[in-house]
């Protein structure tokens, strides 16, 4: 999987109001999306997994809770879900990308539904 740097902006028109960047692995094939973070150690607070073409995820067989950021094709956040425990599912209508983060990163980074991510 390749790695990218994601930058959050408060609005699409005002990129100056950004936050620290996140590093993310990109899961862009069926197998990498299916495997996701299964069997992986807990993420660092600056790391994530970006799932392409993904509007729903499961946390079956995970060992730790996740924060989830669902985005449309342009990187606009359509839904944030914090602290999704193992053996749960989550989804968002209109999502094209799902960013899986360590629990607590959404609140630490101040991520909300009005934000955009660029990479």
């Amino acid at each position: 999987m390749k790695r990218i740097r994601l930058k959050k902006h408060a609005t699409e028109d005002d990129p100056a109001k950004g936050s620290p960047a996140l590093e993310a692995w990109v899961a862009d094939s069926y197998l990498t999306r299916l495997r996701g973070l299964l069997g992986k150690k807990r993420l660092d607070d600056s790391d994530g997994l970006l799932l392409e073409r993904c509007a729903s995820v499961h946390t079956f067989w995970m060992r730790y809770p996740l924060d989830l950021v669902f985005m449309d094709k342009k990187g606009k956040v359509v839904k944030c879900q914090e602290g999704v425990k193992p053996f749960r599912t989550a989804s968002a209508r209109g999502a094209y990308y799902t960013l899986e983060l360590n629990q607590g990163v959404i609140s630490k980074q101040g991520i909300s539904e009005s934000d955009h991510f660029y990479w």
Side-chain angles (χ1 to χ4, degrees), residues 5-119:
R5 171 167 256 147
L6 292 135
K7 184 75 174 168
K8 178 186 75 105
H9 297 289
T11 66
E12 204 170 23
D13 300 329
D14 190 6
K17 294 185 179 179
S19 70
L22 296 167
E23 296 284 331
W25 294 100
V26 178
D28 56 0
S29 71
Y30 174 76
L31 290 176
T32 58
R33 286 192 315 272
L34 182 64
R35 176 148 188 217
L37 293 172
L38 292 175
K40 306 272 189 209
K41 294 180 182 179
R42 186 179 295 263
L43 297 166
D44 291 331
D45 284 350
S46 61
D47 287 334
L49 177 69
L50 183 67
L51 302 152
E52 289 187 7
R53 299 180 308 280
C54 179
S56 66
V57 296
H58 69 81
T59 59
F60 301 135
W61 304 287
M62 292 295 296
R63 296 182 181 163
Y64 49 89
L66 296 171
D67 280 358
L68 303 172
V69 179
F70 296 95
M71 297 174 275
D72 66 12
K73 286 184 178 183
K74 294 181 179 180
K76 181 183 181 295
V77 177
V78 295
K79 182 179 178 182
C80 294
Q81 197 158 347
E82 298 182 70
V84 178
K85 295 179 181 177
F87 294 93
R88 305 291 196 283
T89 61
S91 63
R93 183 179 300 253
Y96 184 80
Y97 298 101
T98 301
L99 179 61
E100 296 183 343
L101 301 165
N102 197 28
Q103 182 180 16
V105 173
I106 286 176
S107 61
K108 286 177 189 173
Q109 293 269 347
I111 300 170
S112 68
E113 291 181 16
S114 62
D115 294 333
H116 283 77
F117 279 90
Y118 301 92
W119 56 92

